[in-house]
Amino acid sequence: MVTKSAISIKSLNKTYHGFKNSSPKNALIDINLEIPQGSFFGLLGPNGAGKSTLINILAGLTKKTSGKVIIDGIDVDEDARASKFAIGVVPQEVVLDPFFSVRETLDYYAGYYSVPQEKRRTQEIIDALHLSDKSGVNSRRLSGGMKRRVLIAKALVHSPKILVLDEPTAGVDVELRTQLWEYVRNLNKNGTTILLTTHYLEEAEELCDKIAIINHGKIIANENKKSLMGALDQKQLIIKFSDKIHTLPETLKKYAAEILDENSISISYRKSDDPIGKLIEIIKKEGLNITDLSTKEPDLEDVFKHLVNQKS
Ligand code: ADP
Ligand code: MG
């Protein structure tokens, strides 16, 4: 069965032409991406990779230089309005009318999308995003976290089939993060396609079923999460000793261990193997005295290295 794409992007390019003296910036280079209907899709990449540029093109906020963008089967060049109605976009930058209350903001956008009164979900959305206490407050008087909630609420008023979130958890508190993910997961379960950008590897790993990685405006990986697991499963154990380590003990040689400096070693392992207990036992038997233990998750950089190695 061929699943229809919620979003289909073909040979998309974006060049920013800066002011007189700055050179043009190729922010997106020949992007091809299919986002399947019903998926929870993660677009992962470091700062400056081009994530927001891509999202803003989908939202109709930034003009593409060339290429094709099809949202819910609608070519944005043929019917910009209809394609806009199929998605809800939560931009990275907070843009709210400072003099509208939360409820007024949501009603205004429901009107913009021509949602008839009897179909409006204003109260439901206010409740879902825990905004009831603040529904009468003007946007300019809300805290950063509250503004972020309104921004998300605003993207939901027309019950879009596709919800696009541009780094919604950068700088928000843990409570909001947890509530937000619970809510978005639920939307996805009920059939909404989710496109999420993030520079947090763990976030993408936890939430998404498909992950594409963008770096310097190019897609460098696009796979099921499982295929990325090889890279995500790696972890490092760093052990410090009270005494100087000159050579690796024989018993550790079969592990991917190396000497970091005179007092510490690092051992790479697969999380799924869960070998820490065993390693510590081995080290104790060697008569070495441990003064500190820490572990390190792979970061984006490590994943990039892994992917590049895989390809070469
Ligand atoms: P990300 O969201 O992944 O951090 P962006 O899409 O915001 O990345 O930016 C991609 C690149 O394009 C960066 O190098 C950024 O400096 C540049 N850029 C973004 N917006 C503009 C703009 N309006 N004018 C010129 N350059 C821009
Ligand atoms: Mg961004």
Side-chain angles (χ1 to χ4, degrees):
M1 193 185 86
V2 184
T3 32
K4 202 175 123 196
S5 290
I7 298 174
S8 173
I9 296 170
K10 294 194 169 80
S11 311
L12 179 65
N13 286 279
K14 173 65 189 181
T15 305
Y16 287 110
H17 293 281
F19 296 109
K20 249 187 218 160
N21 297 323
S22 59
S23 48
K25 168 83 197 170
N26 296 321
L28 297 176
I29 302 157
D30 198 32
I31 302 279
N32 291 291
L33 211 53
E34 299 295 324
I35 296 170
Q37 266 182 3
S39 60
F40 200 131
F41 197 102
L43 181 64
L44 185 65
N47 283 326
K51 303 182 296 297
S52 293
T53 301
L54 186 103
I55 299 308
N56 291 338
I57 289 172
L58 295 177
L61 298 169
T62 297
K63 239 174 104 88
K64 60 187 162 63
T65 304
S66 65
K68 232 179 177 25
V69 175
I70 295 162
I71 298 172
D72 193 34
I74 307 156
D75 187 325
V76 300
D77 291 329
E78 279 164 23
D79 196 340
R81 190 178 147 88
S83 70
K84 248 188 175 176
F85 277 40
I87 60 171
V89 179
V90 182
Q92 186 173 9
E93 302 295 331
V94 174
V95 273
L96 289 170
D97 188 317
F99 299 105
F100 276 16
S101 73
V102 174
R103 188 178 295 279
E104 282 164 350
T105 303
L106 299 187
D107 272 334
Y108 172 82
Y109 279 94
Y112 172 84
Y113 286 109
S114 322
V115 183
Q117 281 297 343
E118 71 276 10
K119 286 204 168 159
R120 291 199 183 176
R121 305 160 50 219
T122 312
Q123 190 57 47
E124 181 198 322
I125 295 171
I126 285 176
D127 290 342
L129 287 154
H130 302 262
L131 282 163
S132 355
D133 293 354
K134 308 279 176 196
S135 63
V137 177
N138 277 357
S139 296
R140 76 194 147 102
R141 300 191 46 209
L142 296 174
S143 68
M146 285 295 162
K147 281 186 180 141
R148 178 81 34 204
R149 286 172 202 254
V150 180
L151 221 54
I152 295 160
K154 194 179 121 176
L156 293 169
V157 292
H158 56 304
S159 312
K161 287 189 197 169
I162 306 162
L163 180 65
V164 179
L165 301 140
D166 193 3
E167 303 211 38
T169 53
V172 307
D173 57 75
V174 180
E175 192 194 4
L176 172 53
R177 188 180 290 219
T178 314
Q179 285 172 359
L180 177 61
W181 291 148
E182 191 189 310
Y183 186 65
V184 173
R185 267 207 181 106
N186 225 9
L187 284 175
N188 181 242
K189 259 191 215 141
N190 291 319
T192 308
T193 304
I194 311 289
L195 169 59
L196 164 78
T197 81
T198 180
H199 62 265
Y200 297 119
L201 191 58
E202 283 163 73
E203 198 163 89
E205 185 186 359
E206 195 188 318
L207 293 162
C208 305
D209 44 44
K210 292 198 102 198
I211 298 174
I213 300 181
I214 184 170
N215 196 24
H216 299 303
K218 288 185 186 162
I219 299 287
I220 60 163
N222 182 7
E223 19 207 322
N224 286 323
K225 188 169 65 179
K226 274 200 187 134
S227 331
L228 279 174
M229 273 304 178
L232 300 172
D233 191 32
Q234 295 292 320
K235 227 174 150 170
Q236 252 188 340
L237 174 67
I238 294 147
I239 311 172
K240 268 195 175 160
F241 302 104
S242 55
D243 299 313
K244 288 187 179 162
I245 303 291
H246 299 291
T247 50
L248 275 177
E250 275 303 316
T251 45
L252 281 180
K253 281 197 175 149
K254 66 172 181 171
Y255 295 91
E258 58 180 300
I259 295 178
L260 281 182
D261 56 48
E262 55 182 19
N263 288 104
S264 51
I265 64 167
S266 98
I267 304 173
S268 297
Y269 65 95
R270 300 179 76 87
K271 275 193 263 183
S272 49
D273 290 344
D274 198 19
I276 294 185
K278 203 165 165 198
L279 285 168
I280 291 174
E281 229 170 78
I282 294 174
I283 288 164
K284 274 192 184 154
K285 274 195 189 141
E286 292 287 339
L288 293 164
N289 186 29
I290 299 172
T291 59
D292 192 34
L293 269 183
S294 59
T295 60
K296 188 177 162 280
E297 294 272 348
D299 53 23
L300 261 183
E301 214 52 51
D302 299 328
V303 176
F304 286 163
K305 270 188 223 151
H306 180 90
L307 290 169
V308 172
N309 286 339
Q310 247 181 4
K311 276 179 188 154
S312 56

